Amino acid sequence: MLQLRPNCECCDKDLPPDAADAMICTFECTFCEDCATRRLKGTCPNCGGELVRRPRRPAAKLQKYPASTERVLKPQGCAGG
């Protein structure tokens, strides 16, 4: 099950479970759409994988299967164009 991490690893923008602009790679590294497309050009800086839109968990399932509260942040920011 996806962790649904709560923030962008680059800019620390909040990405709640229902965020339409959350992007992930196959290792669940999480970025906002702006960082994923503008800075990272659609490629995860951690694994080199493709960044795609993160699916949204139905609200009715969030109580039983809550989103992660662990924030992951690159203190040096993300490299990119």
Side-chain angles (χ1 to χ4, degrees):
M1 181 169 318
L2 293 175
Q3 290 181 342
L4 301 179
R5 294 178 185 167
N7 66 303
C8 174
E9 289 186 29
C10 286
C11 70
D12 204 28
K13 176 183 177 178
D14 288 336
L15 294 170
D18 62 349
D21 63 336
M23 308 287 284
I24 62 171
C25 72
T26 61
F27 290 98
E28 299 184 54
C29 301
T30 304
F31 304 94
C32 68
E33 185 174 30
D34 188 52
C35 287
T37 57
R38 294 176 193 238
R39 287 182 173 182
L40 305 174
K41 309 291 189 235
T43 302
C44 179
N46 303 321
C47 69
E50 176 184 22
L51 294 170
V52 298
R53 190 157 316 279
R54 180 179 75 187
R56 289 175 272 180
R57 187 165 299 151
K61 298 291 184 185
L62 280 170
Q63 273 196 327
K64 186 172 181 180
Y65 306 104
S68 174
T69 58
E70 180 183 350
R71 296 181 82 84
V72 177
L73 182 64
K74 296 180 153 312
Q76 73 281 10
C78 290

